């Protein structure tokens, strides 16, 4: 997705990362609002004293602890096959020495940005065989300590953390991770931790966790406003009429703006693409509702009642997260802003689709 006019958000996040690590930063917002694009731009803009570790969980199917660990680490360029041939006792001793030497040597050519925590394959396999999350966290801690001692500022960025929300290893792994994040930030001031997510129910759950009170900061990345949307489309040679059409169907949803620009470049009619997008989205929601009606008649009626509120308003403040709200949010039809209590459609297209669907029910 093209990066466009997020100067305030870019400056805010860079400024937050210039402070001493003290809080966990949750960057959240509706789906496809440009969170990942923004954080990648932040990484590119940081100077060489920073080392960013960007872990993208959504690109992987993770159902077990060892799958998560393999995603967390980057062992592609590091190995020591000779260690595998040693006696087990000697191997453990040598691995401990090798671990310290590797971490120290790693700092010599440490790049500005990495897709995982560097580790030799042999060490990674040992950590997985031991199946101890404490050893994993200790290794990362030592990497970050050595970076800081050598004048570097590590940043751990995890995209779509909710992917492992239900993963267990002697209890839920997510709680072990949060405790580790608190240790990195609030307690040791060793590394910044940035978590990206479009799952507003996950953010709501995190927001209400006692262990995270006063240890987190929540930063909303929303869709573009009208002014920014207009500037973006003018830059891509849209007429005033086309701009109004796009805004009325898609609002400032970045991914939809990219889509409609590509359609125009392909020679397709902008209004026709907008109309077909609405038909398709309404069909998706309608299919979900038919399925819900078969499974739970009462919940189906409550969801219709919830959708009915959007006939005359774009959003409202909810009193509590009821089952119908949770269903609509899980289906990526509605979005919850946990800081304000606002409940709104994921985008302008969802708002229009909801009202189209209501005509048939």
């Amino acid at each position: 997705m093209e990066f466009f006019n997020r100067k305030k958000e870019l400056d805010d996040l860079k400024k937050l990362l210039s402070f001493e690590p003290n809080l966990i930063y949750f960057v959240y917002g509706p789906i496809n609002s440009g969170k990942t694009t923004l954080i990648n731009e932040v990484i590119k803009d940081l100077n060489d004293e920073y080392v960013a570790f960007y872990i993208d969980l959504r690109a992987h199917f993770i159902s077990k602890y060892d799958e998560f660990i393999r995603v967390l680490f980057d062992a592609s360029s590091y190995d020591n096959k000779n260690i595998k041939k040693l006696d087990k006792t000697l191997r453990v001793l040598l691995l401990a020495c090798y671990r310290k030497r590797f971490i120290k040597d790693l700092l010599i050519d440490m790049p500005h940005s990495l897709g995982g925590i560097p580790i030799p394959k042999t060490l990674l396999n040992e950590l997985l065989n031991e199946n101890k999350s404490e050893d994993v966290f200790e290794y990362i801690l030592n990497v970050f300590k050595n970076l800081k001692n050598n004048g570097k500022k590590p940043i751990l960025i995890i995209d779509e953390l909710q992917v492992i929300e239900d993963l267990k290893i002697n209890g839920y792994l997510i709680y072990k991770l949060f405790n580790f994040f608190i240790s990195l930030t609030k307690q040791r001031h060793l590394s910044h931790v940035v978590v990206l997510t479009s799952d507003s129910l996950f953010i709501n759950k995190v927001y209400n966790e006692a262990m995270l009170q006063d240890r987190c900061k929540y930063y909303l990345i929303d869709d573009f406003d009208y002014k920014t949307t207009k500037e973006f489309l003018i830059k891509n040679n849209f007429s005033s009429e086309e701009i109004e059409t796009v805004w009325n169907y898609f609002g400032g949803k970045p991914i939809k703006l990219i889509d409609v620009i590509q359609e125009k470049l392909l020679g397709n009619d902008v209004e026709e693409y907008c109309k077909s997008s609405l038909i398709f989205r309404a069909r998706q929601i309608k299919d979900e509702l038919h399925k819900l009606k078969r499974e739970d008649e009462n919940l189906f009626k409550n969801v219709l009642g919830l959708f009915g509120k959007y006939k005359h308003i774009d959003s409202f403040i909810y009193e509590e997260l009821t089952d119908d709200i949770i269903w609509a949010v899980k289906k990526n039809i509605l979005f919850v802003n946990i800081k304000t209590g606002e409940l709104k459609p994921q985008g302008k297209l969802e708002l229009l689709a909801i009202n189209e669907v209501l005509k048939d029910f």
Side-chain angles (χ1 to χ4, degrees):
M1 187 185 298
E2 180 183 352
F3 183 79
F4 180 78
N5 199 10
R6 290 281 194 184
K7 187 177 186 309
K8 183 183 185 305
E9 293 92 334
L10 183 64
D11 289 345
D12 285 350
L13 288 174
K14 284 169 61 180
K15 189 174 292 183
L16 289 174
L17 294 175
S18 72
F19 302 151
E20 180 184 60
N22 197 46
L23 297 170
I24 303 167
Y25 297 117
F26 283 90
V27 178
Y28 74 108
I31 55 172
N32 299 317
S33 61
K35 297 176 290 296
T36 299
T37 304
L38 175 62
I39 205 67
N40 283 326
E41 198 68 22
V42 170
I43 293 171
K44 281 198 303 184
D45 256 24
L46 294 173
N47 60 45
D48 289 340
E49 68 178 332
Y50 291 91
V51 179
F53 301 90
Y54 174 74
I55 317 293
D56 187 1
L57 296 186
R58 69 183 152 189
H60 304 271
F61 177 74
I62 301 173
S63 62
K64 298 183 297 183
Y65 169 72
D66 61 337
E67 291 170 347
F68 168 68
I69 297 303
R70 290 191 184 280
V71 173
L72 194 61
F73 286 100
D74 175 16
S76 58
S77 305
Y78 316 99
D79 202 2
N80 190 327
K81 296 179 180 179
N82 294 328
I83 293 178
K84 297 177 182 178
K85 302 175 183 178
L86 297 173
D87 171 81
K88 182 177 180 181
T89 304
L90 183 58
R91 187 172 74 239
V92 170
L93 290 172
L94 188 54
L95 278 169
C97 297
Y98 181 44
R99 182 182 305 188
K100 291 179 182 178
R101 190 181 74 246
F102 172 77
I103 292 173
K104 185 177 180 180
D105 292 346
L106 184 67
L107 299 170
I108 299 172
D109 297 311
M110 175 67 77
H112 173 61
S113 174
L114 300 96
I117 311 296
I119 191 172
K121 292 178 184 177
T122 309
L123 284 181
L124 177 58
N125 290 333
E126 285 293 321
L127 289 176
L128 290 171
N129 289 336
E130 292 167 7
N131 204 29
K132 293 179 181 178
S133 58
E134 293 79 9
D135 290 344
V136 171
F137 296 149
E138 181 189 357
Y139 177 84
I140 298 173
L141 198 63
N142 286 330
V143 171
F144 287 178
K145 278 181 181 178
N146 277 269
L147 282 171
K148 188 173 182 180
N149 290 340
N150 282 268
K152 297 289 186 179
K153 297 180 179 179
I155 307 170
L156 179 60
I157 303 167
I158 302 187
D159 206 340
E160 301 296 354
L161 182 63
Q162 76 281 352
V163 167
I164 61 159
E165 182 179 2
D166 298 322
L167 202 60
K168 289 184 177 181
I169 174 172
N170 300 323
Y172 285 105
L173 177 61
I174 198 80
Y175 293 108
K176 294 179 182 291
L177 269 179
F178 281 142
N179 277 321
F180 180 58
F181 293 163
I182 292 168
S183 175
L184 286 176
T185 55
K186 191 80 172 178
Q187 294 172 359
R188 298 175 185 267
H189 312 292
L190 191 58
S191 169
H192 284 291
V193 175
V194 181
V195 175
L196 279 67
T197 182
S198 57
D199 188 333
S200 49
L201 291 178
F202 173 71
I203 284 291
N204 184 75
K205 184 177 180 181
V206 169
Y207 188 77
N208 291 306
E209 283 292 340
M211 66 181 286
L212 294 173
Q213 293 298 318
D214 300 321
R215 290 166 172 172
C216 302
K217 188 178 183 68
Y218 300 87
Y219 198 87
L220 175 67
I221 304 298
D222 213 337
D223 296 338
F224 291 148
D225 58 18
Y226 176 76
K227 180 175 179 291
T228 305
T229 302
K230 184 176 180 180
E231 290 173 355
F232 187 42
L233 294 176
I234 287 174
K235 179 188 171 187
N236 287 276
N237 302 315
F238 275 60
S239 67
S240 297
E241 184 179 349
E242 288 173 331
I243 290 170
E244 292 304 313
T245 299
V246 171
W247 176 257
N248 289 333
Y249 275 88
F250 300 141
K253 180 71 68 181
I255 190 67
K256 298 307 295 182
L257 301 184
I258 295 294
D259 285 348
V260 76
I261 288 168
Q262 291 176 347
E263 290 296 318
K264 183 177 170 68
L265 289 173
L266 289 170
N268 297 326
D269 184 76
V270 169
E271 186 172 6
E272 285 303 313
Y273 173 71
C274 292
K275 288 179 178 178
S276 65
S277 295
L278 175 57
I279 291 170
F280 180 69
R281 189 68 181 112
R283 180 74 260 172
Q284 287 179 319
I285 295 175
K286 195 182 299 182
D287 288 345
E288 290 290 354
L289 284 171
H290 280 302
K291 182 181 177 183
L292 178 62
K293 187 177 181 181
R294 293 193 299 270
E295 295 174 349
D296 192 329
E297 181 79 25
N298 287 331
L299 182 56
F300 165 75
K301 291 177 180 177
N302 290 338
V303 169
L304 285 185
L306 173 64
F307 285 174
K309 295 182 179 182
Y310 293 102
K311 285 183 178 180
H312 307 292
I313 56 174
D314 293 348
S315 68
F316 66 92
I317 306 299
Y318 66 91
E319 295 296 326
E320 62 174 327
L321 282 174
T322 52
D323 289 343
D324 51 334
I325 291 176
I326 291 172
W327 182 89
V329 171
K330 282 185 175 180
K331 296 298 179 181
N332 283 327
I333 301 170
L334 299 182
F335 172 75
V336 172
N337 185 337
I338 48 92
K339 291 178 71 176
T340 63
E342 182 186 21
L343 185 66
K344 65 177 183 177
Q346 284 279 356
K348 180 71 75 71
L349 189 65
E350 279 71 27
L351 177 62
L352 296 175
I354 285 170
N355 283 287
E356 286 297 314
V357 166
L358 287 173
K359 294 175 185 177
D360 293 336
F361 284 97

